């Protein structure tokens, strides 16, 4: 007796959804880390549509110009893993359904300002807080996000003080304290 063959499409359909995309910036810092410009992230619990909506929600809550969808997809993957708990799965499913209903059936089809209006109305709900709470960790504690924001990581030996802790290009320069920024730095007049 031969074993039945299972196509990739049937497997993905039976096992959940998949998020997929293409890197928008071929020469950006994330593209340098990625093995290819196309990416796909399988979902175990959520459907593809639910994953797409959650991706859009995360991008609305944490908007960063030029941050690739592939980085935001890690938040969806984290939520998908945790959605094996039926309470979270119900919270996410019901929240997505409520968001879609308030948008007339397809929240993703709306323009950015309209999406934000519908999402703002849900601020403080268990749905919104579950996404926000997870995203704070899974979005910003990610090597791809580090590459985008220019964070070089912790050195662990105190050497980071003289190896670029103040080379941020996305924040304005703060006023220099009277004693200087670094312990060994001469104050400026």
């Amino acid at each position: 007796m031969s074993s039945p063959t299972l196509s990739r499409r049937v497997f993905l359909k039976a096992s959940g959804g998949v998020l997929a995309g293409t890197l928008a910036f071929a020469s950006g810092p994330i593209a340098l880390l990625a093995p290819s410009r196309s990416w796909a992230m399988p979902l175990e619990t959520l459907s593809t549509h639910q994953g797409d909506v959650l991706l859009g929600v995360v991008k609305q809550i944490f908007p960063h110009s030029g941050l690739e969808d592939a980085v935001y997809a890690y938040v969806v993957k984290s939520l998908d893993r945790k959605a094996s708990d039926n309470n979270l799965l119900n919270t996410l499913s019901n929240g997505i359904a409520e968001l879609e209903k308030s948008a007339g059936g397809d929240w993703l089809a709306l323009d950015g300002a309209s999406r934000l209006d519908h999402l703002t109305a849900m601020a403080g709900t268990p749905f919104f807080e579950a996404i926000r709470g997870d995203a704070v960790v899974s979005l910003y504690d990610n090597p791809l996000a580090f590459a985008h924001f220019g964070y070089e990581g912790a050195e662990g030996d105190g050497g980071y003080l003289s190896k670029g802790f103040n080379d941020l290009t996305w924040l304005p320069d703060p006023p220099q304290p009277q004693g200087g920024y670094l312990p060994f730095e001469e104050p400026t007049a």
Side-chain angles (χ1 to χ4, degrees), residues 98-188:
E98 184 179 329
L99 193 59
E100 296 275 68
K101 182 179 176 185
S102 75
D106 191 1
W107 182 76
L108 290 171
L110 300 176
D111 62 76
S114 298
R115 282 186 187 184
L116 185 58
D117 289 342
H118 289 281
L119 189 57
T120 301
M122 296 184 76
T125 64
F127 168 73
F128 187 93
E129 292 304 317
I131 295 168
R132 186 196 59 75
D134 189 87
V136 166
V137 175
S138 55
L139 179 62
Y140 297 114
D141 189 17
N142 178 327
L144 294 175
F146 295 167
H148 174 79
F149 294 122
Y151 174 62
E152 297 169 11
E155 289 288 325
D157 63 353
Y160 197 64
L161 281 176
S162 58
K163 293 183 183 175
F165 87 99
N166 62 347
D167 65 356
L168 295 176
T169 58
W170 52 280
L171 288 175
D173 288 334
Q176 185 171 12
Q178 188 173 5
Y181 291 117
L182 302 173
F184 49 82
E185 189 175 67
E186 294 292 323
T188 59

Side-chain angles (χ1 to χ4, degrees), residues 3 32 36-38 41 54 62 70-71 89 95 100 121 123 139 148 151 162 169:
S3 62
L32 297 175
S36 77
R37 289 207 49 214
S38 296
M41 191 168 290
L54 290 175
F62 298 96
V71 181
L89 179 60
E100 296 275 68
L139 179 62
H148 174 79
Y151 174 62
S162 58
T169 58

Side-chain angles (χ1 to χ4, degrees), residues 58-130:
V58 174
K59 289 173 63 174
Q60 285 288 332
I61 296 174
F62 298 96
H64 292 289
S65 179
L67 185 59
E68 297 280 0
D69 286 356
V71 181
Y72 288 110
Y74 278 95
V75 178
V76 178
K77 182 65 177 174
S78 174
L79 289 166
D80 178 61
R81 246 188 326 271
K82 294 174 183 173
S84 62
D85 167 27
N86 283 334
N87 290 333
L88 180 59
L89 179 60
N90 288 336
T91 298
L92 295 175
S93 296
N94 293 338
I96 290 168
E98 184 179 329
L99 193 59
E100 296 275 68
K101 182 179 176 185
S102 75
D106 191 1
W107 182 76
L108 290 171
L110 300 176
D111 62 76
S114 298
R115 282 186 187 184
L116 185 58
D117 289 342
H118 289 281
L119 189 57
T120 301
M122 296 184 76
T125 64
F127 168 73
F128 187 93
E129 292 304 317

